[in-house]
Amino acid sequence: ISYFIKEDLINQSSSKKRGPDGVNKLRISKKTLNHAEKMIKGALTELYKGLNYLKTYRNLNMLAFMKILKKFDKVTGKQILPIYLKVVENSYFNSSDKVINLSDEVEELFIKNFAGENRRKAMKYLKPHHRKESHSVTFFIGLFTGCFVALLAGYIIVAHLTGMYKRHTENTFYMETAYPVLSMFGLLFLHLFLYGCNIFMWRKARINYSFIFELGSKNELKFRDVFLICTASMSVIAGVMFVHLLLLAKGYSFGQVQAIPGLLLLVFFLILICPLNIFYKSSRYRFISVTRNIVFSPLYKVVMLDFFMADQLCSQVPMLRNLEYIVCYYITGSYTTQDYGYCMRVEYYRDLAYAVSFLPYYWRAMQCARRWFDEGETSHLVNLGKYVSAMLAAGTKLAYEKERSIGWLCLVVAMSSIATVYQLYWDFVKDWGLFQHNSNNPWLRNQLMLRQKSIYYFSMVLNLVLRLAWLQTVVHSSFEHVDYRVTGLFLAALEVIRRGHWNFYRLENEHLNNAGKFRAVKTVPLPFREVDEED
């Protein structure tokens, strides 16, 4: 197949490119050939997978027929199994070998054209082995969880004894430089931990998240893998920040230990881009490619995983602002001069910090515009309006932070209220598919993946309450003498929790739409072990 495709491309190019002497000039780019070969390779893999599904379907039907007849014979005392089974076994459905022959032909084509006559190499693509879940992963999850809890408890005790989180000028430097690092990683891995919980619940509810996200066996993370990443990372982070705080408590100057948080961030960045096949390389590189698609929106075609990830970033604005400040603080060398206010005094860096508050909403709006351009559905433009309202609300909040006047306060309340109502409507009606008046389930949808209807009502109320966290901007409540940054971290964590809660129902609705519109063509893994032929 790949030979004929190459010949066809060469012939097309030959007919269009001729030199002055009439000799054909072949100008086939290597990129075009590689793209064509990749498409054929993927098509053969999907065909082979589909043929295996068809063989499994036939075997399961035969097994079910046998069990039904056995049960019938047992209840009635009759012996009809040999009679009917003989007819079914001789039927075309069971005796035809076309599927087996087609599978053999696909194997031969793949081995010849894409594996260099190496059968073992070909079968790695055609029949990829899923990673087996090991008990050692569960052990290390427990181990790192214990380490994290112990280190975090030690960190909190030392912070309380030294008074680092109290609101007075002596500890301003620590709260401005070291605390944003801990806050940023805390929000990031809290979000990742909730994603692991989502995977666990999606599997329990038999929601085919792998098909929806188009995840392959190589870059699909199991919920135990996600929990292992979270616990191991947070143990390292808590340990490093605990050592950093201990050094400060023992009298070391900020200048002597200030590079420690920056080095921690650098290590995690190097692990993310590490080209070695360690630390879930395929998943890391898939994350990087999705991030690239989001940043350069609307240049790339938008798929489910892209706009789902962009939605997660909309709930991580505080984390992104902390990241921007930390990068600025260390790149500009402010940590050597201990000038933590430099990045907020320079106009360029200050404007960049404000731009970070708008970027997630801008990226998401551009994705909506690209989807409208590709698909032509006006609902994408309506969705774009939701993110525009969120940008306007964020803009008024930033303006109110600069000038705390009654006029700006009223504008903040008005714009935030409009954006909140807009977002709640979209959450309940569009993303979750709820609030259907003609449904058999009052104010829900006809099909539900969870048996308890009360969970959906509770989730709607919880989503409403967490959506109103912006009222803190107006009330300015504080917890006694705790620094306002700790309060901000608490509110940011509530938004991350709301997003993790939103994720489950968003994919549940997507799964039901796929099944209802016959888009879910890949099978859902069965929740039980397949019966062997001997049984």
Side-chain angles (χ1 to χ4, degrees):
I1 295 177
S2 117
Y3 171 78
F4 290 121
I5 290 290
K6 292 178 181 179
E7 286 296 321
D8 182 56
L9 290 172
I10 291 173
N11 292 333
Q12 290 180 13
S13 179
S14 304
S15 60
K16 295 179 181 179
K17 305 288 184 180
R18 292 182 180 273
D21 54 353
V23 179
N24 294 337
K25 291 185 177 180
L26 305 182
R27 295 184 181 180
I28 300 296
S29 66
K30 188 176 180 180
K31 182 179 180 181
T32 304
L33 292 175
N34 290 337
H35 179 68
E37 185 173 332
K38 184 178 180 181
M39 291 180 65
I40 299 169
K41 191 176 181 180
L44 286 174
T45 304
E46 288 298 321
L47 176 59
Y48 189 80
K49 188 187 300 183
L51 292 171
N52 284 330
Y53 287 155
L54 189 56
K55 287 191 290 185
T56 304
Y57 173 76
R58 180 176 64 181
N59 295 335
L60 286 175
N61 274 273
M62 285 297 302
L63 181 64
F65 189 79
M66 290 176 59
K67 287 186 174 293
I68 291 171
L69 290 178
K70 283 182 179 180
K71 189 70 174 179
F72 182 83
D73 288 352
K74 184 178 180 181
V75 173
T76 61
K78 298 180 180 180
Q79 299 296 325
I80 65 170
L81 175 61
I83 302 173
Y84 282 92
L85 190 60
K86 183 178 180 180
V87 176
V88 175
E89 287 179 344
N90 294 330
S91 66
Y92 183 79
F93 174 80
N94 184 61
S95 61
S96 174
D97 59 351
K98 282 191 174 182
V99 175
I100 299 175
N101 293 336
L102 281 173
S103 297
D104 294 339
E105 288 181 18
V106 172
E107 285 185 14
E108 292 176 4
L109 283 171
F110 200 94
I111 293 170
K112 180 179 179 181
N113 294 280
F114 300 105
E117 303 294 341
N118 189 335
R119 181 179 177 80
R120 179 177 295 181
K121 180 180 178 182
M123 299 313 293
K124 286 183 179 181
Y125 287 95
L126 296 176
K127 288 185 177 180
H129 294 286
H130 296 278
R131 289 184 292 107
K132 295 182 179 180
E133 297 183 0
S134 174
H135 293 294
S136 61
V137 175
T138 306
F139 169 77
F140 282 110
I141 290 173
L143 176 65
F144 287 125
T145 300
C147 293
F148 168 67
V149 171
L151 291 169
L152 182 62
Y155 179 84
I156 293 174
I157 292 171
V158 174
H160 176 72
L161 294 176
T162 56
M164 285 294 179
Y165 289 170
K166 292 183 179 180
R167 292 189 295 176
H168 51 76
T169 55
E170 295 179 6
N171 301 318
T172 302
F173 191 87
Y174 181 83
M175 296 302 297
E176 291 285 355
T177 56
Y179 181 72
V181 177
L182 183 62
S183 173
M184 179 196 68
F185 280 119
L187 292 174
L188 175 63
F189 287 107
L190 172 63
H191 208 139
L192 190 60
F193 174 79
L194 292 174
Y195 175 68
C197 296
N198 286 142
I199 293 176
F200 178 80
M201 291 305 300
W202 288 331
R203 289 186 61 181
K204 286 293 183 181
R206 300 188 66 180
I207 295 174
N208 197 355
Y209 67 95
S210 299
F211 170 75
I212 295 173
F213 289 145
E214 299 180 11
L215 298 176
S217 58
K218 293 183 178 180
N219 50 28
E220 178 186 354
L221 290 176
K222 308 296 184 182
F223 70 92
R224 288 187 179 87
D225 298 322
V226 177
F227 291 155
L228 178 62
I229 294 171
C230 292
T231 54
S233 300
M234 287 307 299
S235 296
V236 173
I237 293 164
V240 171
M241 297 307 294
F242 178 55
V243 171
H244 178 253
L245 188 60
L246 276 179
L247 293 175
L248 293 177
K250 289 183 177 181
Y252 288 88
S253 65
F254 281 99
Q256 292 175 303
V257 297
Q258 195 54 30
I260 293 178
L263 291 174
L264 179 64
L265 180 62
L266 180 62
V267 168
F268 273 88
F269 177 75
L270 292 177
I271 292 176
L272 178 64
I273 63 174
C274 178
L276 301 178
N277 192 18
I278 55 175
F279 302 124
Y280 304 100
K281 177 187 174 183
S282 58
S283 299
R284 288 189 286 109
Y285 275 56
R286 181 66 184 272
F287 172 79
I288 293 173
S289 65
V290 171
T291 305
R292 177 207 60 195
N293 296 347
I294 295 173
V295 171
F296 292 100
S297 298
L299 300 181
Y300 289 90
K301 184 178 180 180
V302 183
V303 297
M304 176 68 189
L305 187 58
D306 292 342
F307 67 77
F308 184 85
M309 182 64 184
D311 278 327
Q312 311 308 305
L313 292 178
C314 290
S315 295
Q316 286 285 9
V317 172
M319 185 270 291
L320 294 175
R321 293 191 67 174
N322 283 334
L323 177 61
E324 184 276 333
Y325 174 78
I326 295 166
V327 172
C328 172
Y329 178 70
Y330 283 99
I331 287 182
T332 58
S334 300
Y335 72 98
T336 57
T337 60
Q338 302 182 33
D339 185 8
Y340 62 83
Y342 175 78
C343 291
M344 295 308 296
R345 288 198 308 270
V346 178
E347 185 177 358
Y348 172 77
Y349 295 113
R350 186 173 65 250
D351 294 340
L352 183 61
Y354 293 145
V356 169
S357 301
F358 296 92
L359 277 177
Y361 304 114
Y362 167 78
W363 289 331
R364 193 66 186 89
M366 290 298 100
Q367 286 182 335
C368 292
R370 175 59 189 262
R371 294 189 71 191
W372 170 77
F373 179 80
D374 291 338
E375 302 172 17
E377 296 182 8
T378 56
S379 60
H380 297 312
L381 291 180
V382 181
N383 196 16
L384 186 149
K386 181 184 72 171
Y387 295 102
V388 171
S389 68
M391 283 190 283
L392 294 175
T396 55
K397 288 179 184 178
L398 291 176
Y400 177 62
E401 290 178 5
K402 293 182 180 179
E403 182 182 349
R404 296 185 181 275
S405 62
I406 299 298
W408 280 114
L409 178 60
C410 294
L411 194 58
V412 166
V413 173
M415 292 305 304
S416 298
S417 300
I418 294 172
T420 301
V421 173
Y422 205 153
Q423 292 162 355
L424 286 172
Y425 167 78
W426 204 268
D427 284 348
F428 297 150
V429 178
K430 299 296 183 179
D431 290 339
W432 291 5
L434 305 178
F435 272 27
Q436 297 183 13
H437 300 286
N438 300 324
S439 172
N440 297 328
N441 305 307
W443 298 105
L444 303 178
R445 65 173 91 88
N446 285 323
Q447 291 181 305
L448 302 173
M449 300 298 293
L450 302 178
R451 295 181 179 179
Q452 297 292 333
K453 298 179 184 178
S454 58
I455 297 178
Y456 293 90
Y457 297 114
F458 173 77
S459 297
M460 288 190 286
V461 174
L462 181 62
N463 188 70
L464 170 63
V465 172
L466 295 179
R467 277 285 189 189
L468 296 177
W470 60 267
L471 288 173
Q472 167 64 20
T473 308
V474 180
V475 178
H476 291 293
S477 60
S478 59
F479 300 96
E480 297 182 357
H481 302 291
V482 178
D483 192 277
Y484 73 92
R485 298 173 187 83
V486 180
T487 307
L489 174 61
F490 174 74
L491 295 174
L494 289 181
E495 170 58 22
V496 172
I497 293 172
R498 186 202 67 80
R499 180 62 66 179
H501 172 254
W502 174 91
N503 287 342
F504 175 82
Y505 298 100
R506 176 65 183 88
L507 243 69
E508 178 193 17
N509 190 37
E510 186 72 19
H511 176 80
L512 292 173
N513 288 334
N514 283 338
K517 296 180 180 179
F518 303 101
R519 290 195 297 258
V521 295
K522 296 182 181 179
T523 59
V524 181
L526 298 175
F528 48 80
R529 181 179 63 86
E530 292 186 8
V531 180
D532 296 330
E533 293 181 1
E534 298 174 352
D535 299 332

